[in-house]
Amino acid sequence: MKIILSHDVDHITVWEHWKDPIIPKFLVRAKLELLLGKISFGELWYRFGDLFRNRWERVEEVMDLHDRHGIKSCFFFGMANGLGLSYPLEHAERLIPKVLARGFEAGVHGIAYADERAIAEEHARFARISGLKEFGIRMHYLRQDEGTLNKLAAAGYRFDATSHGVRDPYRIHGFWEFPLLFMDGWAMDGDKRYQSRDLAGAKAYTLGKLEEAERAGLHYASILFHDRYYSRSFATWKAWYEWLLDTLRERRHTFVTHAQAIAQLEAER
């Protein structure tokens, strides 16, 4: 398979959340995971340290890791606020040029999924910041309704990466849809809202999904890893992602970007 890696940049600083419940939820979750034996005292210490360092994104660390592997991936940035995505636009304006300058893809982490005007505004903001004419989107929390994809295509997006399932990319409404095979949270949390699996359990889940995709004969598979978790504050998540990259290579899968995949798919058509 050809693997497409992407990252939803949900948080950049800690204190951007001073008006929402993200910080209290973070503290409760960290203590619960410690009591359940899923994280160590060291991880808890680093998580509290992150509060004072006021940094929850790990965009450059993920890019450094990928460069060591010769991989390029896509970072989706919020252009509006909602549902715990709270950073000011200027934070995205600072990071997006850095991502593009290093040869990685960037796109929109969408908030609006039903309001056509709001969808168009998010598209326009990203086009202005990035200078790009073609780029894609993934909706925050994978939200969509029956009209979302048509509205995203009408706004000018090149592709969407919101849907999920064991399926190859496909054309719809004149643009490309890249179904998500799995993400980090599904491997680590399962059906909980906190880390419910250890590293062995997360690996077992992941191997099951890869084997399912291989049996289905998929040519492309999209995988989501949130950049925030590439940190010693989330040691199991970090170890899982490093293992995942090695495992994908061992299973003889290769890596492409959305743009490369679209070029290949359209050439085949």
Side-chain angles (χ1 to χ4, degrees):
M1 287 186 296
K2 296 176 181 178
I3 306 298
I4 303 165
L5 299 173
S6 61
H7 323 282
D8 294 349
V9 184
D10 289 335
H11 313 281
I12 294 181
T13 68
V14 177
W15 300 116
E16 69 203 33
H17 294 293
W18 69 279
K19 287 184 178 180
D20 63 42
I22 292 295
I23 295 175
K25 287 181 179 179
F26 165 76
L27 296 174
V28 170
R29 174 179 169 174
K31 292 177 181 178
L32 176 62
E33 291 176 352
L34 178 68
L35 291 173
L36 293 173
K38 301 302 180 182
I39 67 172
S40 66
F41 279 105
E43 282 178 84
L44 185 67
W45 175 261
Y46 287 128
R47 289 189 193 184
F48 280 111
D50 285 344
L51 294 176
F52 298 99
R53 283 187 287 272
N54 194 28
R55 182 170 176 240
W56 269 356
E57 57 83 16
R58 294 292 184 271
V59 172
E60 293 208 28
E61 286 87 342
V62 172
M63 289 195 293
D64 290 343
L65 171 69
H66 284 191
D67 277 343
R68 291 195 294 272
H69 284 267
I71 298 168
K72 297 301 181 186
S73 55
C74 182
F75 294 83
F76 292 103
F77 290 90
M79 294 290 107
N81 292 156
L83 292 177
L85 199 162
S86 301
Y87 50 83
L89 195 60
E90 55 262 31
H91 291 339
E93 290 174 328
R94 172 176 56 85
L95 287 170
I96 290 169
K98 293 182 179 181
V99 168
L100 296 176
R102 291 183 60 169
F104 288 78
E105 287 186 331
V108 175
H109 197 33
I111 293 296
Y113 68 95
D115 184 329
E116 292 183 52
R117 173 178 286 186
I119 289 171
E121 288 173 351
E122 289 181 49
H123 183 280
R125 289 186 197 114
F126 185 85
R128 174 184 61 80
I129 294 168
S130 67
L132 299 175
K133 294 182 178 179
E134 293 188 345
F135 49 88
I137 183 170
R138 174 182 290 124
M139 303 306 303
H140 189 42
Y141 282 114
L142 307 183
R143 295 193 305 166
Q144 59 179 306
D145 61 23
E146 65 278 359
T148 300
L149 295 183
N150 191 30
K151 292 170 184 174
L152 295 179
Y157 285 102
R158 187 74 169 103
F159 68 87
D160 172 69
T162 301
S163 68
H164 54 90
V166 184
R167 184 176 180 181
D168 272 320
Y170 57 94
R171 292 275 289 183
I172 184 171
H173 302 305
F175 75 163
W176 286 95
E177 182 68 18
F178 286 86
L180 186 63
L181 179 62
F182 63 86
M183 69 167 79
D184 47 10
W186 300 349
M188 299 301 307
D189 294 344
D191 60 356
K192 308 295 185 183
R193 297 183 66 85
Y194 54 86
Q195 183 179 328
S196 64
R197 294 189 178 118
D198 59 13
L199 184 57
K203 288 180 178 180
Y205 167 89
T206 303
L207 291 173
K209 294 300 293 184
L210 291 175
E211 289 165 3
E212 182 182 6
E214 291 164 355
R215 288 194 302 270
L218 290 194
H219 296 96
Y220 296 88
S222 293
I223 300 172
L224 164 59
F225 178 75
H226 292 80
D227 65 287
R228 176 190 178 191
Y229 297 122
Y230 195 69
S231 163
R232 58 189 178 181
S233 301
F234 295 90
T236 308
W237 299 66
K238 183 175 182 287
W240 172 81
Y241 192 57
E242 292 172 341
W243 166 85
L244 173 64
L245 297 185
D246 291 336
T247 298
L248 290 168
R249 287 200 183 279
E250 290 169 3
R251 298 175 81 94
R252 306 181 68 83
H253 300 308
T254 57
F255 300 90
V256 296
T257 63
H258 294 97
Q260 290 169 333
I262 289 172
Q264 294 166 4
L265 289 162
E266 292 188 342
E268 292 169 1
R269 288 167 62 90

